[in-house]
């Protein structure tokens, strides 16, 4: 069965520091992978997605993620965090034959000035 | 105007009451979903619909029902609300063509059952 693990429940970083949020998935075939962000009081917004091809994908707001098949990972990164990046981040996995997404439990990011 | 709208945005109700949450979309997508979000549990799928005549249970459908009134409207009902249905509820849509598989989310409905 498909599953997604986000091992970090809560991360705190200083503004301007680099960021990496971890995501590990379990799926037999090539997964479709997504990162969503949820700002306080808002719905989920897609940051980036991976279907195939280049394993390093660029997203909005300066985020990128790298698909590593050997590690079953799809970690989200940003070189310099801004205070406005404080939010909850969700990794999700899907596949071509289900059109359903399985979400991780989320990582809450706190940014200190 | 938002592409996916949910009404109401906030609702407080009492145990045993029937309540309906509504979702409308202007994206023209065939596929619609209802999720609930609980702290520490992420988003869990309640029901999904691939077109007006196709409705499917998700992983946590007990205690819920849905109605797809039109391509653009998908409602979630709690026939007899209970306190453990207190949660944030999201509607989402996706496009069946083009294989993008991306889901677009509404702003959510915060439901409290007392």
């Amino acid at each position: 069965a498909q599953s997604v693990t986000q091992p970090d429940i809560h991360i705190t970083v200083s503004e301007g520091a680099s960021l990496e949020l971890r995501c590990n998935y379990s799926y037999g075939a090539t997964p479709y992978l997504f990162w969503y962000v949820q700002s306080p009081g808002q719905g989920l917004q897609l940051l980036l997605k991976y279907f195939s091809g280049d394993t390093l994908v660029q997203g909005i707001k300066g985020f990128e993620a790298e698909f590593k098949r050997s590690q079953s990972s799809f970690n989200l990164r940003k070189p310099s965090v801004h205070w406005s990046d404080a939010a909850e981040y969700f990794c999700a996995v899907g596949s071509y034959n289900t059109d359903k997404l399985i979400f991780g439990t989320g990582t809450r990011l706190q940014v200190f000035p | 105007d938002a592409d996916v709208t949910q009404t109401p945005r906030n609702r407080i109700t009492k145990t045993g009451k029937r309540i309906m949450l509504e979702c409308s979309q202007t994206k023209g997508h065939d596929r619609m979903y209802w999720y609930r979000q609980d702290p520490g549990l992420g988003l869990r799928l309640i029901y999904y619909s691939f077109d007006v005549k196709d409705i499917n249970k998700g992983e946590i459908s007990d205690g819920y029902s849905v109605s797809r009134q039109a391509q653009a409207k998908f409602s979630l009902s709690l026939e007899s609300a209970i306190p453990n249905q207190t949660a944030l509820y999201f509607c989402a849509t996706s496009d069946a063509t083009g294989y993008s598989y991306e889901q677009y989310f509404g702003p959510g409905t915060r439901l409290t059952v007392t």
Side-chain angles (χ1 to χ4, degrees), chain A residues 38 44 90 101-105, chain B residues 35-38 41-45 59 90 105:
Chain A
Q38 182 184 21
L44 277 72
F90 292 94
L101 296 184
I102 304 297
F103 285 84
T105 52
Chain B
Y35 293 90
R36 68 176 278 175
Q37 182 183 17
D38 299 277
L41 297 179
L43 277 77
R44 293 181 291 167
L45 184 62
E59 62 177 306
F90 286 105
F105 285 81

Side-chain angles (χ1 to χ4, degrees), chain A residues 36-46 61 84 86-88 90 108, chain B residues 2 4 6 9-10 37 43 88-91 105-110:
Chain A
Y36 283 85
V37 60
Q38 182 184 21
S39 298
Q42 304 293 317
L44 277 72
Q45 179 184 22
L46 181 72
K61 304 185 181 186
S84 61
E88 189 151 22
F90 292 94
R108 180 165 298 280
Chain B
V4 184
Q6 294 183 233
R9 292 293 311 277
N10 289 282
Q37 182 183 17
L43 277 77
L88 186 56
Y89 290 84
F90 286 105
C91 174
F105 285 81
T109 294
R110 184 167 296 281

Side-chain angles (χ1 to χ4, degrees), chain A:
Chain A
Q2 298 178 54
S3 67
V4 178
T5 301
Q6 294 181 247
D8 303 306
I9 297 172
H10 185 202
I11 286 182
T12 301
V13 300
S14 298
E15 191 170 19
S18 63
L19 173 70
E20 183 169 29
L21 302 183
R22 296 183 290 165
C23 174
N24 294 97
Y25 67 90
S26 173
Y27 188 63
T30 299
Y32 299 153
L33 295 158
F34 305 82
W35 275 100
Y36 283 85
V37 60
Q38 182 184 21
S39 298
Q42 304 293 317
L44 277 72
Q45 179 184 22
L46 181 72
L47 283 176
L48 46 78
K49 59 188 177 185
Y50 171 81
F51 291 159
S52 65
D54 193 347
T55 56
L56 184 63
V57 294
Q58 303 297 319
I60 62 172
K61 304 185 181 186
F63 286 92
E64 67 178 25
E66 186 171 11
F67 171 58
K68 293 185 177 180
R69 184 187 301 275
S70 61
Q71 298 177 21
S72 298
S73 70
F74 188 57
N75 294 349
L76 182 71
R77 301 193 294 246
K78 187 169 185 178
S80 178
V81 171
H82 188 263
W83 64 267
S84 61
D85 293 324
E88 189 151 22
Y89 292 79
F90 292 94
C91 181
V93 63
S95 68
Y96 71 94
N97 62 349
T98 69
D99 198 35
K100 291 189 294 182
L101 296 184
I102 304 297
F103 285 84
T105 52
T107 297
R108 180 165 298 280
L109 174 66
Q110 191 171 8
V111 180
F112 281 114

Side-chain angles (χ1 to χ4, degrees), chain B residues 10-72:
Chain B
N10 289 282
R11 180 73 182 268
I12 300 174
T13 192
K14 295 188 176 183
T15 298
K17 294 291 188 182
R18 183 180 188 276
I19 184 169
M20 178 181 289
L21 309 183
E22 298 186 337
C23 176
S24 295
Q25 53 114 347
T26 58
K27 300 189 74 67
H29 291 168
D30 288 325
R31 302 181 175 194
M32 298 187 73
Y33 309 80
W34 275 105
Y35 293 90
R36 68 176 278 175
Q37 182 183 17
D38 299 277
L41 297 179
L43 277 77
R44 293 181 291 167
L45 184 62
I46 306 172
Y47 271 95
Y48 59 104
S49 170
F50 284 177
D51 64 40
V52 175
K53 295 181 180 180
D54 178 35
I55 293 179
N56 305 279
K57 293 182 178 180
E59 62 177 306
I60 55 162
S61 59
D62 287 349
Y64 302 94
S65 62
V66 290
S67 173
R68 186 82 183 265
Q69 300 94 324
Q71 185 203 38

Side-chain angles (χ1 to χ4, degrees), chain B residues 82-95:
Chain B
I82 56 177
N84 77 0
Q85 291 178 313
T86 293
L88 186 56
Y89 290 84
F90 286 105
C91 174
T93 73
S94 71
D95 187 1

